Amino acid sequence: MNKMEMTLARTLLATAAVITLNGVAQAGEVEVLHYWTSGGEAKSAAALKAQLEKQGHSWKDFAVAGGGGESAMTVLKSRVVSGNAPAAAQIKGPSIQEWAREGVLTNLDETAKTEKWDTLLPPVVADVMKYKGKYVAVPVNVHRVNWLWANPEALKKAGAKLPTNWDEFFVAADKLKAAGIIPVAHGGQSWQDFTTFESVALGVGGADFYKKALVQLDQASLTSATMEKVMTTFKKVKTYTDKNAPGRDWNLATAMVIKGEAGMQLMGDWAKGEFVAAGKVPGKDFLCAAAPGTAKSFTFNVDSFAMFQVKGDDKVKAQKDLAAAILSPEFQEVFNLNKGSIPVRLNMPMTKFDDCAKLSSNDFVATNKGGSLVPSIAHGMAVSSAAQGAIQDVVSQFWNDDKMSAKDAVTKIATAAKTK
């Protein structure tokens, strides 16, 4: 080999080494803690994994079952305390700020600026993702919580119509019961009880009452006659559930509506993912409507990933790419089509989405302008986790205790709301 050939060989080897090193730096592992384990949710998580793997990174799945996420948060706390936090964890609402105060989250402003998040997100959502004005989390979607799902064949068989208020709801429930159909599919778990309570509170009291009572935790509103009426209506819903409801997972309750064993379910729009995964068509095989009395309001639940501090350039790069991928138009479309939610990006076309999603998207925009877009207390968007947990405990206690009066429940909720 002559001198020129040797020089060329060395150059090629050096170039290859640089390419290899760059490849290593670009490809990293990202460990993601989430609680998307049901059919529609698992498909959604797989879509995010595929998006990241396209960029050469590896996804380490850390799924913890439990629809409300309580189990996942318990696991996360133990991991963070032991100094072994995942790169990303499914956290939302005021809990994001609670974690940020601990100094364990990473600053995403560089990615946010590059990707123009401030122009893509509604301010009410962007604010939840920030701590002291800096992004520490990225939103995935917008769920509407105040939905009513129904099986049209079951309603037809019972001679009932889809209700628009609580009086009509109980009329339909009576007809379903008379026809031998379980009126309300429910899973007797604390978070599901709270989800039902939230829709009842919004439907009975309206958006202004909801904001005062369940966002601002105003004592006068919490102890009012309106709240007592909320509790009475809420307890009446229970009389239309079946004896096997205690402990049932939410997706199994949705399956009851899919099969026509039950007529209706009060649940967020993640339930739609179950209908779609079962091959059902909205408007034909199932009906979606705002929960009784809530057509002009919207309780939102925004899924998001808080990003924890990680070590190693490869892991930091993978984490940043994950954050960017979450808000990419491609992922927003695929993910939300699977999940039953709507894109959190403001400029997303809804052409591929079904009528339920289009209604949700239109209402999201309209209620944002009209002041009736409110955070879900049941799904960790409205108040501190301590206050939420205390109120949720009382709500479930009331649901399960036939001896507790609505008046007693109101007093206990007002006391629970003072929990710091």
Side-chain angles (χ1 to χ4, degrees), residues 258-419:
I258 291 171
K259 295 171 188 170
E261 294 169 5
M264 303 179 286
Q265 182 186 20
L266 291 155
M267 186 53 64
D269 55 17
W270 47 92
K272 190 184 72 177
E274 298 302 297
F275 284 102
V276 173
K280 303 301 179 183
V281 179
K284 179 189 167 195
D285 302 313
F286 67 96
L287 305 175
C288 59
T294 72
K296 293 185 177 177
S297 301
F298 191 119
T299 42
F300 68 85
N301 172 24
V302 175
D303 281 320
S304 54
F305 281 104
M307 300 292 171
F308 285 79
Q309 292 168 8
V310 291
K311 291 176 182 175
D313 290 347
D314 56 338
K315 288 188 176 179
V316 170
K317 178 69 168 66
Q319 187 183 57
K320 286 180 179 177
D321 286 348
L322 172 66
I326 286 169
L327 274 176
S328 68
E330 302 82 12
F331 173 70
Q332 284 282 307
E333 183 173 89
V334 172
F335 178 90
N336 287 294
L337 284 169
N338 281 324
K339 188 80 159 58
S341 46
I342 57 173
V344 72
R345 282 180 70 117
L346 286 172
N347 59 349
M348 283 289 296
M350 297 295 289
T351 46
K352 288 187 183 178
F353 288 81
D354 59 52
D355 290 345
C356 296
K358 285 172 182 169
L359 173 63
S360 186
S361 185
N362 290 340
D363 286 352
F364 181 62
V365 173
T367 55
N368 184 41
K369 289 177 182 173
S372 53
L373 177 64
V374 293
S376 165
I377 186 171
H379 294 273
M381 301 302 301
V383 299
S384 72
S385 54
Q388 178 194 333
I391 296 169
Q392 181 171 312
D393 286 346
V394 176
V395 167
S396 268
Q397 190 185 350
F398 177 65
W399 178 269
N400 292 306
D401 185 355
D402 292 334
K403 292 177 183 176
M404 189 189 293
S405 69
K407 202 170 187 67
D408 286 344
V410 165
T411 303
K412 284 176 179 286
I413 285 173
T415 302
K418 295 174 183 176
T419 306

Side-chain angles (χ1 to χ4, degrees), residues 3-67:
K3 194 173 181 181
M4 185 182 286
E5 287 172 331
M6 285 176 71
T7 303
L8 180 61
R10 285 197 196 99
T11 303
L12 288 171
L13 282 167
T15 303
V18 169
I19 291 169
T20 304
L21 284 168
N22 283 346
V24 170
Q26 295 298 314
E29 179 186 85
V30 60
E31 185 178 17
V32 183
L33 184 151
H34 64 89
Y35 43 93
W36 291 325
T37 53
S38 74
E41 293 175 328
K43 269 189 176 181
S44 305
L48 184 53
K49 178 182 177 182
Q51 183 89 353
L52 199 67
E53 287 178 342
K54 269 188 205 169
Q55 295 172 269
H57 301 301
S58 61
W59 168 289
K60 187 176 180 182
D61 202 58
F62 187 6
V64 181

Side-chain angles (χ1 to χ4, degrees), residues 180-212:
I181 299 165
I182 296 165
V184 181
H186 183 73
Q189 295 173 341
S190 184
W191 73 270
Q192 292 188 62
D193 300 341
F194 210 22
T195 299
T196 299
F197 162 80
E198 175 180 293
S199 284
V200 174
L202 186 63
V204 171
D208 286 342
F209 167 79
Y210 180 97
K211 279 190 273 193
K212 283 179 186 171

